[in-house]
Amino acid sequence: MGVKQVLRAMDAFPRAEEHLLQKTKSGAFVSIVGLVIMSTLFLHELSYYLNTITVHQMAVDLRRGETLPIHINMTFPSLPCDVLSVDAIDMSGKHEVDLDTNIWKLRLNSDGHITGTEYLSDLEEKEHKHDDHKDHHDDSDNKTHMQGFDQDAENLIKKVKQALAHGEGCRVYGVLDVQRVAGNFHISVHGLNIFVAQMIFGGTTHVNVSHIIHDLSFGPKYPGGHNPLDGTERILRGASGTFKYYIKIVPTEYRYLSKEVLPTNQFSVSEYFSPINEFDRTWPAVYFLYDLSPITVTIREERRNFLHFITRLCAVLGGTFALTGFQVLQIQQVSCSNTRLLNHPSAFLITG
């Protein structure tokens, strides 16, 4: 036996001669359906392979001495910009002398349209104290008793009352860079002298701290990231009060396929509302109290293994090809059987 005969004997896919093959319309239909199925499965597997996946890993956060960026974008529809202030407090007890702020205020009319812009220069840096806003107003009381109202205070009172009468609001936005330790910041009327605030609002229960949080984040956004406070609306219809948002920040690194690393943070939040009555000495405010998790999360983009893609592709395409080939073979066998039956002499019955 020659080499060619040996190779032919090892052929696992013998083919019938051309004159033994019979092509039918039904077989062509099955073939077309099979091609459509195989094309669809191929595109699906290719899309599955090209799409990136993300892998999450956790480790102890070892970073030190960095700052924490706080991106703020909020609207206070019932408070003019002249009375709003942002107070940042470092819970470590140290004075934040190097706090870098870039906060702006946009004046809004009753329809929510922007009518003016100003830089927020009344940002206050404080050490952590218990009930610090009470201490602030107590200091303001003493100063007012000693100095009394001046012309600036009277002009401010008149200006703010007119703004309130016209339904003016304020939008606060920008970036607040703080030390990477637990702390809080709040937006309120605490920057006002207490007697000036009394002349403007007539009491703590008349300070409407209704607000809309358009964006609040602790770092740049990353693919698939979600900030739970974005789009939050808290509109007061009755008595005023203080809103407190307790935020747990999780340091996060996002690693792209290009090996680029994006340092950021994600967070969870719970909120609490405390109503204020006319006998309370505290003034309504919106507090954001944040703490940092000791665990950091690394989100890494990855692409699926190419050999895995080839294996899945061969499985689905080969399976579809085999199934359609089996159906075509059955159709051809039925067609050949019918042909032989019709050509057999006993298939014709002659009646007289």
Side-chain angles (χ1 to χ4, degrees), residues 16 40 138 181 207 228 231 239 265 338:
T40 304
D138 291 341
V181 294
V207 180
N265 299 278
N338 292 336

Side-chain angles (χ1 to χ4, degrees), residues 151-169:
Q151 188 63 37
D152 293 338
E154 292 179 359
N155 293 337
L156 177 63
I157 293 172
K158 182 178 179 180
K159 180 181 179 181
V160 174
K161 283 187 174 181
Q162 289 179 349
L164 288 172
H166 292 127
E168 283 192 15

Side-chain angles (χ1 to χ4, degrees), residues 4-239:
K4 291 184 179 181
Q5 287 79 5
V6 173
L7 291 177
R8 288 179 180 177
M10 296 177 60
D11 186 6
F13 305 98
R15 298 182 59 183
E17 295 183 7
E18 194 69 28
H19 69 278
L20 297 178
L21 299 177
Q22 182 179 2
K23 296 182 178 180
T24 62
K25 293 182 179 180
S26 55
F29 175 76
V30 173
S31 299
I32 293 174
V33 172
L35 287 174
V36 172
I37 294 175
M38 286 190 288
S39 299
T40 304
L41 292 176
F42 171 76
L43 293 176
H44 177 270
E45 290 298 324
L46 182 62
S47 174
Y48 180 78
Y49 167 70
L50 294 178
N51 287 337
T52 58
I53 59 175
T54 54
V55 178
H56 293 68
Q57 294 178 333
M58 293 187 295
V60 176
D61 186 17
L62 301 177
R63 288 179 288 182
R64 297 181 182 179
E66 299 180 5
T67 58
L68 179 67
I70 304 175
H71 300 263
I72 307 169
N73 189 352
M74 298 178 60
T75 294
F76 290 82
S78 302
L79 289 177
C81 289
D82 294 298
V83 300
L84 280 179
S85 65
V86 178
D87 305 325
I89 303 172
D90 184 355
M91 300 297 284
S92 66
K94 295 182 180 180
H95 193 77
E96 294 282 358
V97 294
D98 294 326
L99 192 63
D100 182 22
T101 62
N102 187 19
I103 305 295
W104 293 80
K105 295 192 294 187
L106 302 178
R107 296 180 59 184
L108 308 176
N109 59 20
S110 58
D111 296 325
H113 298 143
I114 300 173
T115 59
T117 306
E118 64 178 287
Y119 186 73
L120 184 57
S121 59
D122 56 355
L123 180 73
E124 300 184 5
E125 303 168 7
K126 303 177 183 178
E127 296 181 3
H128 172 55
K129 299 177 182 178
H130 180 67
D131 291 339
D132 60 282
H133 53 277
K134 291 184 181 180
D135 298 338
H136 173 67
H137 283 309
D138 291 341
D139 294 340
S140 300
D141 293 348
N142 297 331
K143 292 179 182 178
T144 304
H145 282 305
M146 292 185 294
Q147 298 177 359
F149 287 119
D150 55 13
Q151 188 63 37
D152 293 338
E154 292 179 359
N155 293 337
L156 177 63
I157 293 172
K158 182 178 179 180
K159 180 181 179 181
V160 174
K161 283 187 174 181
Q162 289 179 349
L164 288 172
H166 292 127
E168 283 192 15
C170 186
R171 186 164 184 168
V172 180
Y173 77 96
V175 180
L176 185 66
D177 288 323
V178 298
Q179 293 296 321
R180 198 179 181 80
V181 294
N184 78 74
F185 69 95
H186 54 277
I187 305 176
S188 64
V189 298
H190 294 165
L192 291 175
N193 178 287
I194 187 172
F195 284 97
V196 173
Q198 287 283 1
M199 291 292 295
I200 293 174
F201 297 103
T204 58
T205 56
H206 298 145
V207 180
N208 189 341
V209 291
S210 298
H211 58 279
I212 303 171
I213 303 176
H214 306 287
D215 175 54
L216 181 71
S217 58
F218 296 84
K221 293 185 178 180
Y222 61 91
H226 172 68
N227 297 323
L229 284 178
D230 289 0
T232 299
E233 293 188 17
R234 296 294 179 265
I235 307 299
L236 294 173
R237 305 298 181 186

Side-chain angles (χ1 to χ4, degrees), residues 232-300:
T232 299
E233 293 188 17
R234 296 294 179 265
I235 307 299
L236 294 173
R237 305 298 181 186
S240 188
T242 295
F243 291 89
K244 291 185 177 181
Y245 296 94
Y246 296 91
I247 298 173
K248 192 70 172 182
I249 301 174
V250 181
T252 303
E253 282 187 350
Y254 193 91
R255 297 179 178 270
Y256 294 91
L257 280 175
S258 61
K259 307 302 180 182
E260 181 184 355
V261 179
L262 177 67
T264 183
N265 299 278
Q266 53 185 325
F267 65 93
S268 61
V269 62
S270 58
E271 61 179 287
Y272 173 74
F273 175 73
S274 175
I276 287 181
N277 58 56
E278 57 183 351
F279 302 106
D280 288 335
R281 296 186 60 190
T282 59
W283 289 78
V286 179
Y287 281 84
F288 298 91
L289 303 98
Y290 55 88
D291 192 11
L292 283 90
S293 169
I295 301 299
T296 182
V297 175
T298 300
I299 305 175
R300 187 176 66 255

